Amino acid sequence: MLVIVAKLVARRLLAAVPILLVVSALLFTVLRLLPVDPAAMSLPTTATIAEIEAKRREMGLDRPLPEQYVIWLSDALHGNFGRSIQFDREAGSLVAASLPATIELAGAAMALAAIFGLGGGLLLFHLRGTLFEAIADFLSILLLSIPEFLWGLILLFVFGVALHALPFTGVVSPSLPQPHVTGFLLLDALLVGRLDVFASACRHLILPALALGLAFSPAIMRVLRSSLFDVYHEDYIQQARLRGLSERQILLGHALKNAALPTLTLAGVQFGILFSGTLLVEVIYSYPGMGNLMVDAVRNADLPLIQAIGLTYCVAVLVINTVVDSLYVVLNPKLRAG
Amino acid sequence: MSLKRRAFLQMAAAASLAAPLVRSAAAAGDAATIAWPNDVPSWDPNQRFTPDAQPIFKAVYDQPLDQDPQLKLVAHLIKNWTLAPDATSMAVELRDDVTFHNGDKMTAEDFRYTFLERIRSGVKLDTANSWKRVADIVVESPIRATMKFSAPDPTAPQWMAFLGSYIVPKQYIESGGLDNFLKKPIGTGPYKLAEYELNSRIVLERNDRYWGPKAKVARVTIEIIKDPSARVAAIQSGQADFTLNVPVREVQRFQSEGGFAAELNPITRVILLQVRADLNFADQNVRLAAHHAIDKAALSMAFYGGAAVPLSVVATPGSPGYLSDFTFKFDPQLAKQLLAKSGHGPDNPVKIGLAATNGQFPSDYDMARAIVQMWQKVGIAADLQVIEYAKYFELNRASKLPEATLYSWDNATGDPEIFSGYLLNPKMPFSAWKDEAVGGRVLKLFNIADYNARIAGYRDVERFAVEQGASIPLLQSVLTVVRKRNLQYTRYGNGWVLPQTLQWS
């Protein structure tokens, strides 16, 4: 099985190269076509036209677009994504500093989405044919229609402002230090043995992760229920019943495993979308991740930073898809055989 | 590190429960949390002129001169200063009891390094522009130096207390490198930077060896919360003790609630229309009609709860250039008459463009829409376009701005040079007005060394510019502040909220 997964990952990595090239070229072209002058933006407002022209030459902006792209690509391959106009720091280092927070948030949100999705899906399936089925169905559609930023605002108001139950700004309490080892705050807090920091970071993570998790769980819920419906029409379910297995054993031992495959595919797609969905939630909760950085970059027309963040999102989605596909192979014997 | 699961869970739960308690205890005296709208652009205070970041820089670094709450220029790191009568040199005497946060003594060498050597070294600094007339700084002793200017610099003392003018440690930067300085910045200010998380928070700890009055609050955490509604929620929920730049309607709401003090403070920031001297604004009648048609009191009432003072000149009440005896009338009938003289009216409107930012300052786009409607009533049809603030300069350089642009201008010094001197200076990127009749008068003022003569000159120019239709001042802007009632601070006329002035009562 490891060989199959390794082959799959290798194939994905090969496919990722042209995808990244196309995405980077698109990003580069679109950003260069915007009516923004990166040279003027990176100089003081009092800069003269001659100074701006000199800066333009220094940045290579006077060269043809394809040539500019090749220069950028060559630098990017050496880990140099250019200098942020707004922060006057390496764009790559800014992304690297913000990425762990977004990964932690997206990971926690996905875990919550999976828990709510699986739990909700099983509940919906369990209620089939009962009086509560229509109500549950209605509620799941209602949940599906609430986007993540609305959840963000609702949760912030209820648990933050009205109940004062949970913090909703930043990543850790102002009275506590923020340790730096790997960049992942939860992990770092444990590594330096600061459980108070760990607990505070968890408390700060709850609301933004919940906002994202709640927004993405209804889709998982509904696909799981549909898959279970399909699976229950298969012969082996009838045979299991004839063998005298309880409904619980059939559901958990046979049906759920098979129904999980399409759900996993959806979850993979959802995780990619969820990763991008962190943008608004991070802004609402002042969470110092890539989304927050992206909003800043867009607001300040910080082209090198927008490009670096855009590419990072693309890489993240490719990685997520590869992981999901690998899991699919692990869970699906048919694919392993094929 | 080994930890049993049960012990871990117990400790985590205890820590979790303790967190709010820690917070309450801190809030009771020795700590405060401010919800702040923006991060610093960099920890090099000379690098970028970002008005919003100045109060944070002023906590960590010191300026050679300072301003008191009424914006009067006062001694600070510089004890005494003498500007030569022709404004071509300035002798300064520095304090001899100032140390950087690492214990190094601050001397005239640091002064020379900050205002000359760094700039000449090629490091990209905005101060290179403000101090471009510095030809040399002669160090006479560890506490005495003389700045030599290549051309008269009558506002050099004002600039010593303005954007970017913070003394940085020569020895520390030269020995450790700029990157190290940016990671571990030190200044001579009342707070040390204890912790910095990009786009997230800034933790300041009191500098107990500060040469001046010690800060009352030992630890100040600045939480970067960019969304105004989130800042409101943060203070309402008790997660912040102080916040600023929140919507006016929220201030009005907080004013009716107990436990909070909510303020609308007029500051030295003006909201105006930057106008061009050409296109359909080449006609003075049209420009003056556009000005007479705007009901500034109504704009103030609608967008600032009536707290923003309507302006007739580009200067704020109390600042040296302000003209209290001059009023430009709101008179739609006169506006119609002026337009009629040029063959326009409600049935035959003159077409112009109006550019405005959306979100750069409170209610900017809505205010522009209101102005469009006011103009429509007298016979001016304005095409409203949204621009990014940063694009203003690019469009202005390329002469692509429309006839009018809604603009906000900060001037922490209150000096008229940094109001009309910049906004009407045809050689600067801020001015959309490129006409010698006004511009020529402004340029002459840059070389007048005598303070009183200079201020009188600016007062004349301001009035002249408005009468020519070269400038359409609208309102004095306000700073909105919401704080816990028992957290006091010193209110500055320019809107600075300085952490070192915070005090629990």
Side-chain angles (χ1 to χ4, degrees):
Chain A
M1 185 167 70
L2 273 178
V3 176
I4 296 170
V5 172
K7 276 183 183 171
L8 177 89
V9 171
R11 270 206 309 275
R12 288 290 177 160
L13 282 177
L14 275 177
V17 174
I19 291 173
L20 281 173
L21 278 175
V22 170
V23 171
S24 66
L26 268 175
L27 254 174
F28 188 89
T29 309
V30 168
L31 292 177
R32 287 299 180 277
L33 292 178
L34 285 177
V36 171
D37 183 355
M41 302 277 297
S42 60
L43 287 170
T45 50
T46 47
T48 61
I49 290 173
E51 286 168 335
I52 294 168
E53 282 306 320
K55 186 72 185 174
R56 195 170 283 130
R57 281 194 297 278
E58 182 194 318
M59 293 172 82
L61 297 171
D62 55 335
R63 299 179 195 181
L65 200 60
E67 195 181 336
Q68 286 183 41
Y69 174 67
V70 171
I71 294 169
W72 176 86
L73 189 63
S74 161
D75 288 345
L77 288 173
H78 291 89
N80 176 11
F81 291 90
R83 228 170 157 76
S84 156
I85 291 170
Q86 183 196 357
F87 295 101
D88 197 28
R89 283 172 56 183
E90 292 294 332
S93 74
L94 289 168
V95 172
S98 311
L99 185 59
T102 298
I103 291 176
E104 278 185 343
L105 174 59
M110 198 60 215
L112 288 175
I115 292 166
F116 296 144
L118 284 173
L122 289 173
L123 182 67
L124 282 176
F125 184 71
H126 181 70
L127 293 175
R128 71 192 185 283
T130 70
L131 283 172
F132 298 106
E133 185 181 14
I135 298 169
D137 205 35
F138 171 78
L139 284 176
S140 73
I141 291 172
L142 183 71
L143 289 178
L144 196 62
S145 63
I146 300 177
E148 70 274 14
F149 66 87
L150 194 52
W151 274 121
L153 293 172
I154 292 168
L155 294 171
L156 186 151
F157 177 76
V158 174
F159 293 101
V161 179
L163 299 175
H164 292 207
L166 287 165
F168 56 85
T169 58
V171 289
V172 71
S173 164
S175 56
L176 295 172
Q178 202 169 320
H180 287 279
V181 183
T182 63
F184 292 89
L185 180 59
L186 294 174
L187 180 61
D188 291 349
L190 291 177
L191 287 175
V192 299
R194 290 295 302 258
L195 291 179
D196 51 349
V197 174
F198 180 79
S200 176
C202 287
R203 284 167 55 84
H204 281 77
L205 191 59
I206 291 174
L207 289 183
L210 206 53
L212 281 164
L214 281 172
F216 288 93
S217 60
I220 298 174
M221 224 179 263
R222 292 181 67 80
V223 168
L224 179 63
R225 185 185 65 165
S226 302
S227 303
L228 283 170
F229 277 141
D230 292 342
V231 166
Y232 266 67
H233 286 107
E234 298 286 338
D235 291 344
Y236 63 83
I237 297 292
Q238 296 305 321
Q239 285 164 6
R241 282 205 181 99
L242 291 174
R243 289 210 312 274
L245 295 180
S246 69
E247 283 300 315
R248 185 189 169 90
Q249 284 172 318
I250 293 170
L251 176 66
L252 299 179
H254 295 274
L256 187 58
K257 198 174 165 186
N258 289 297
L261 291 174
T263 313
L264 181 68
T265 308
L266 175 85
V269 175
Q270 289 283 91
F271 194 31
I273 300 169
L274 182 146
F275 202 80
S276 317
T278 55
L279 197 141
L280 282 175
V281 170
E282 283 184 7
V283 173
I284 291 170
Y285 288 98
S286 308
Y287 206 84
M290 275 206 314
N292 224 330
L293 194 64
M294 181 64 145
V295 171
D296 251 7
V298 171
R299 197 175 283 165
N300 292 287
D302 194 340
L303 304 189
L305 193 52
I306 295 173
Q307 202 150 313
I309 298 172
L311 264 189
T312 308
Y313 273 118
C314 178
V315 170
V317 170
L318 288 173
V319 169
I320 291 162
N321 285 343
T322 307
V323 170
V324 170
D325 285 353
S326 306
L327 276 175
Y328 209 75
V329 170
V330 172
L331 293 174
N332 192 343
K334 286 180 195 167
L335 287 179
R336 289 205 296 273
Chain B
M1 185 182 67
S2 72
L3 200 64
K4 285 188 176 169
R5 192 171 67 96
R6 182 185 295 269
F8 168 78
L9 291 173
Q10 282 171 346
M11 285 169 73
S16 169
L17 288 171
L21 301 176
V22 169
R23 183 170 178 75
S24 321
D30 230 17
T33 302
I34 309 177
W36 197 269
N38 295 104
D39 199 354
V40 293
S42 148
W43 278 105
D44 186 338
N46 308 142
Q47 191 184 37
R48 278 272 159 130
F49 288 169
T50 310
D52 288 347
Q54 300 309 307
I56 301 174
F57 286 148
K58 283 180 81 71
V60 178
Y61 305 96
D62 275 318
Q63 299 195 274
L65 295 175
D66 204 358
Q67 290 175 274
D68 69 10
Q70 288 73 42
L71 308 188
K72 189 180 160 221
L73 206 58
V74 292
H76 202 58
L77 293 181
I78 290 179
K79 278 166 71 178
N80 297 300
W81 70 98
T82 310
L83 185 66
D86 61 356
T88 56
S89 68
M90 185 166 76
V92 302
E93 182 191 354
L94 298 162
R95 298 184 67 93
D96 63 356
D97 57 351
V98 180
T99 54
F100 288 102
H101 297 152
N102 65 347
D104 290 352
K105 204 166 171 65
M106 190 275 300
T107 70
E109 289 296 340
D110 298 300
F111 181 80
R112 179 183 155 87
Y113 177 71
T114 301
F115 294 105
L116 183 74
E117 292 173 18
R118 281 201 89 194
I119 291 168
R120 290 200 174 165
S121 73
V123 182
K124 199 172 75 181
L125 303 170
D126 278 7
T127 47
N129 185 65
S130 49
W131 296 105
K132 66 186 172 196
R133 277 174 283 191
V134 177
D136 196 7
I137 296 177
V138 180
V139 174
E140 288 126 14
S141 78
I143 58 163
R144 287 179 199 279
T146 300
M147 297 181 94
K148 309 272 187 188
F149 304 121
S150 57
D153 198 348
T155 51
Q158 280 73 22
W159 270 97
M160 282 282 161
F162 196 35
L163 293 171
S165 296
Y166 299 89
I167 294 191
V168 294
K170 174 179 176 164
Q171 165 74 16
Y172 183 74
I173 296 177
E174 286 192 336
S175 60
L178 183 59
D179 283 344
N180 177 59
F181 174 64
L182 294 176
K183 279 180 195 153
K184 294 174 188 168
I186 58 164
T188 59
Y191 282 100
K192 297 175 183 178
L193 179 67
E195 199 184 321
Y196 172 61
E197 300 296 336
L198 179 80
N199 262 340
S200 177
R201 70 173 179 168
I202 296 163
V203 181
L204 304 172
E205 277 175 4
R206 183 169 54 211
N207 174 12
D208 289 321
R209 290 186 301 179
Y210 188 55
W211 59 269
K214 309 282 185 293
K216 301 284 191 306
V217 177
R219 183 181 165 99
V220 173
T221 302
I222 295 170
E223 296 272 3
I224 311 297
I225 304 178
K226 290 171 190 167
D227 182 58
S229 306
R231 288 199 295 279
V232 170
I235 186 123
Q236 185 148 20
S237 65
Q239 292 184 38
D241 307 309
F242 193 113
T243 193
L244 61 158
N245 277 347
V246 297
V248 172
R249 64 178 182 281
E250 296 291 351
V251 172
Q252 292 165 334
R253 184 171 65 80
F254 275 108
Q255 281 171 340
S256 61
E257 286 185 16
F260 297 103
E263 303 163 7
L264 286 161
N265 301 331
I267 55 171
T268 51
R269 180 187 298 157
V270 294
I271 298 169
L272 73 158
L273 288 177
Q274 284 286 66
V275 297
R276 289 182 65 143
D278 53 3
L279 307 175
N280 281 343
F281 261 4
D283 185 340
Q284 187 177 340
N285 286 333
V286 176
R287 298 196 303 268
L288 291 174
H291 195 169
H292 281 298
I294 298 173
D295 186 349
K296 298 169 189 174
L299 292 178
S300 172
M301 190 55 70
F303 302 112
Y304 293 97
V309 179
L311 296 177
S312 291
V313 289
V314 181
T316 51
S319 68
Y322 186 67
L323 294 170
S324 53
D325 58 348
F326 173 68
T327 308
F328 194 92
K329 280 191 300 182
F330 162 57
D331 190 341
Q333 286 309 317
L334 181 56
K336 282 182 186 171
Q337 287 166 20
L338 286 164
L339 286 171
K341 280 187 198 170
S342 297
H344 298 290
D347 298 329
N348 178 29
V350 57
K351 290 181 181 170
I352 63 165
L354 170 64
T357 48
N358 191 354
Q360 177 66 27
F361 61 93
S363 306
D364 45 2
Y365 184 68
D366 292 335
M367 196 183 295
R369 286 180 55 185
I371 290 169
V372 169
Q373 286 170 12
M374 289 172 184
W375 280 346
Q376 200 172 17
K377 288 180 187 167
V378 298
I380 298 172
D383 174 28
L384 179 59
Q385 2 175 323
V386 175
I387 60 165
E388 293 294 321
Y389 178 71
K391 285 287 289 178
Y392 174 85
F393 303 101
E394 204 179 321
L395 293 170
N396 197 18
R397 272 190 207 101
S399 283
K400 286 182 180 168
L401 281 175
E403 281 86 348
T405 305
L406 184 64
Y407 198 74
S408 167
W409 181 257
D410 262 297
N411 175 6
T413 68
D415 192 276
E417 179 182 294
I418 298 160
F419 276 134
S420 297
Y422 280 37
L423 290 169
L424 290 169
N425 183 338
K427 292 189 174 174
M428 284 195 163
F430 315 107
S431 173
W433 184 265
K434 309 286 182 193
D435 167 78
E436 282 305 306
V438 175
R441 284 181 176 219
V442 169
L443 289 171
K444 280 180 194 162
L445 293 170
F446 274 73
N447 294 320
I448 296 180
D450 180 73
Y451 180 80
N452 291 328
R454 189 169 67 81
I455 299 298
Y458 274 113
R459 287 169 161 233
D460 287 344
V461 165
E462 281 160 12
R463 184 179 189 135
F464 179 69
V466 171
E467 286 170 346
Q468 293 294 307
S471 170
I472 303 183
L474 298 174
L475 299 170
Q476 177 183 19
S477 192
V478 295
L479 177 76
T480 53
V481 166
V482 182
R483 60 187 165 86
K484 286 187 176 160
R485 198 170 283 282
N486 59 339
L487 181 58
Q488 313 297 326
Y489 78 112
T490 303
R491 190 189 298 178
Y492 278 75
N494 52 18
W496 284 341
V497 172
L498 303 180
Q500 55 267 41
T501 69
L502 293 175
Q503 185 174 3
W504 291 99
S505 60

